[in-house]
């Protein structure tokens, strides 16, 4: 049983991954109410939307939950020629695929992290988790002084150690199998594709803070295996994507069940940042232009209207279908039921459910 989560009043050693753009307040609340730690991925949310969604969670459950943010600079440097070139590529692709939507210039490329962090402090969730970089020591202390536990994301022992040195209460280690965006910040993404079941014991041996395992865990047996390797708890994301409370598009949910493991890989062409998901029609079509892609969050903002149009049209093959390596093991069921099944499997694998 997770001592870290138990100290928060969470009954199960289970964290629902903060999947920005595909989870909902309903999913977070359902997981927390069922005894896990629900997590709201707020990386794409403007401050008021973050406040509103946190209020929805609190209206649905009185149990602890987490908020997750992407640590990014407040201002983004733009290569205008690169932006215009990729816009032409994207518009041509959408035209050839029969979608009328075209790219545009957003008012902002991403929400200001400093404003998001201020909103998070106002919400005061039980846990604040972060990816893409580390906070400063003063920022960590300020959150902790407000009664918020801080969890960092690392894809290597060095990144996990960086969070520990900043005073984080725990670190979530993201194995190469994990779906969605990589949290890498000290290395090139391709240099930090470490398998979870090597990364967990290496990190546990190096640190004195709790380690949460993330990446490819789809059932209670996987949770038990991570625990045997020293993890304090397991974080599952893809496992919850097929739940009715998930905001994943219907085509995305359908494609997960049919996913072939050799067609799941690291993708840059939707967002400009390494992320694991299904290599579909969009990914294949953009591959010849890999050297032309602007970085995150610029490309992510440019493809956003295209992804929305693809979802509306039922075109999963043009969506960013993020998923972990075990995607085809998803089980479409309500989130609370999935938590119950996971914990039954966990118990059957030799652990006592508190």
């Amino acid at each position: 049983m997770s001592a870290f989560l138990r100290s928060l009043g969470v009954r199960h050693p289970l964290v629902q991954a903060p999947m920005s753009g595909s989870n909902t307040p309903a999913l977070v609340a359902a997981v927390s109410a069922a005894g896990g730690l629900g997590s709201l991925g707020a990386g794409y949310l403007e401050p008021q939307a973050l406040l509103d969604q946190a209020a929805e969670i609190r209206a649905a459950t009185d149990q602890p939950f987490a908020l997750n943010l992407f640590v990014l600079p407040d201002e983004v440097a733009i290569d205008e020629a690169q932006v215009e070139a990729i816009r032409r590529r994207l518009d041509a692709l959408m035209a050839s695929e029969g979608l009328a939507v075209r790219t545009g210039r957003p008012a902002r490329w991403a929400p200001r992290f400093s404003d998001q962090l201020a909103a998070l402090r106002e919400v005061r969730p039980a846990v604040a988790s972060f990816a893409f970089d580390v906070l400063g020591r003063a920022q960590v202390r300020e959150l902790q002084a407000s009664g918020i536990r801080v969890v960092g994301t690392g894809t290597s022992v060095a990144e996990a150690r960086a969070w520990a040195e900043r005073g984080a209460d725990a670190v979530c280690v993201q194995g190469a199998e994990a779906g969605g965006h990589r949290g890498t910040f000290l290395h090139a993404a391709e240099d930090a594709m470490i398998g979870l079941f090597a990364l967990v014991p290496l990190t546990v041996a190096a640190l004195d803070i709790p380690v949460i395992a993330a990446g490819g865990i789809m059932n209670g047996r996987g949770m038990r295996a991570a625990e045997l390797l020293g993890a304090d708890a397991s974080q599952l994301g893809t496992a919850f994507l097929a739940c009715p409370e998930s905001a994943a598009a219907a085509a995305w949910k359908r494609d997960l069940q049919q996913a072939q493991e050799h067609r799941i890989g690291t993708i840059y062409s939707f967002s400009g940042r390494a992320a694991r998901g299904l290599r579909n029609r969009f990914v294949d079509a953009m591959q010849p232009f890999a050297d032309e892609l602007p970085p995150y969050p610029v490309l992510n903002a440019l493809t956003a209207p295209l992804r929305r149009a693809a979802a509306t049209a039922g075109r999963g093959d043009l969506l960013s279908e993020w998923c972990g390596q075990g995607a085809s093991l998803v089980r479409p069921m309500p989130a609370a039921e999935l938590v119950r099944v996971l914990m039954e499997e966990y118990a059957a694998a030799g652990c006592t459910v508190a």
Side-chain angles (χ1 to χ4, degrees), residues 271-318:
S271 71
R273 187 181 179 96
R276 184 162 294 270
L278 299 182
R279 293 202 295 262
N280 56 18
R281 163 64 184 150
F282 180 95
V283 176
D284 291 341
M286 293 298 292
Q287 185 59 40
F289 315 117
D291 294 339
E292 302 177 19
L293 301 176
Y296 186 97
V298 176
L299 184 59
N300 193 66
L302 290 174
T303 64
L306 312 184
R307 288 179 277 125
R308 287 192 293 268
T312 299
R315 292 291 303 274
D317 59 336
L318 299 176

Side-chain angles (χ1 to χ4, degrees), residues 12-177:
H12 302 317
L14 169 65
V15 180
Q16 166 252 315
M19 302 174 288
S20 293
S22 58
N23 67 358
T24 63
L27 176 61
V28 176
V31 173
S32 287
L37 181 68
S39 303
L40 180 69
Y44 303 146
L45 299 181
E46 293 291 345
Q48 188 57 54
L50 187 157
L51 295 172
D52 292 345
Q53 292 199 18
E56 287 185 50
I57 296 168
R58 287 215 164 100
T61 181
D62 61 357
Q63 296 303 301
F65 67 94
L67 281 176
N68 175 271
L69 293 177
F70 301 148
V71 183
L72 296 168
D74 277 353
E75 302 301 329
V76 179
I78 304 299
D79 182 328
E80 292 291 350
Q82 187 182 44
V83 167
E84 291 309 309
I86 205 65
R87 286 186 63 190
R88 289 192 293 272
R89 299 286 192 198
L90 291 168
D91 290 347
L93 176 59
M94 292 303 103
S96 69
E97 294 294 330
L99 293 182
V101 68
R102 299 293 181 267
T103 58
R105 293 291 294 257
R108 287 194 58 83
W109 295 105
R112 288 171 58 90
F113 174 72
S114 60
D115 294 339
Q116 291 178 312
L117 188 61
L120 183 148
R121 288 197 298 267
E122 183 176 339
V123 170
R124 293 183 65 179
V127 173
S129 63
F130 299 91
F132 294 8
D133 207 343
V134 288
L135 296 181
R137 289 184 178 85
Q139 291 172 309
V140 171
R141 287 195 296 268
E142 184 177 2
L143 291 170
Q144 292 167 333
S146 299
I148 303 169
R149 305 289 183 89
V150 176
V151 177
T153 301
T155 62
S156 69
V157 174
E159 290 179 345
R161 185 179 289 114
W163 272 106
E165 291 172 349
R166 299 298 172 95
D169 296 285
V171 64
C172 178
V173 291
Q174 185 187 40
E177 305 91 339

Side-chain angles (χ1 to χ4, degrees), residues 27 87 89 158 167 196 229 231 244 250 262 267 299 331:
L27 176 61
R87 286 186 63 190
R89 299 286 192 198
L196 181 66
L229 291 172
H262 66 282
I267 297 164
L299 184 59
R331 294 173 283 195

